[in-house]
Amino acid sequence: MVHAERAVLADDLAGLTDMGWAQQSLCCAWTVAEVVAHLTAGASNSRFRWLLSVIRVCFDFDRRNARQLCAHRGANPAETPRLTSKANQENNIGEATPARPPR
């Protein structure tokens, strides 16, 4: 289900112009590009890595989000999803995990 939703999101974003990427989002002071970077950054971290990143900033979530945006934003808005997709592929994130049979 998550893979299907990511594919739908990617399709929705594919047609955005530079102006669309720079558009103010409904998330406070973030643009569409920054929201996408935030969403995809979360998908590229394991729970353990997420916890470490929060500890490193003394549980200052705004500071953590700012760091994640810098790491996951492209040179231009349209590059953000491509960079994230590449990182996810390198980390084998997004691949289906076989379900365990019931006991």
Side-chain angles (χ1 to χ4, degrees), residues 76-98:
N76 59 57
E79 191 176 282
T80 296
R82 285 193 295 270
L83 286 178
T84 303
S85 176
K86 182 180 176 188
N88 288 347
Q89 288 171 356
E90 290 171 358
N91 293 317
N92 294 322
I93 295 170
E95 294 183 8
T97 305

Side-chain angles (χ1 to χ4, degrees), residues 32-76:
V32 171
E34 291 167 331
V35 170
V36 171
H38 175 73
L39 291 173
T40 55
S44 65
N45 283 329
S46 67
R47 289 181 186 145
F48 181 72
R49 286 180 63 192
W50 177 86
L51 181 59
L52 282 178
S53 71
V54 171
I55 291 169
R56 284 186 187 123
V57 295
C58 301
F59 294 90
D60 182 341
F61 291 98
D62 290 334
R63 189 168 151 207
R64 183 203 176 267
N65 285 339
R67 285 183 175 189
Q68 290 294 308
L69 286 178
C70 287
H72 289 272
R73 246 187 326 209
N76 59 57

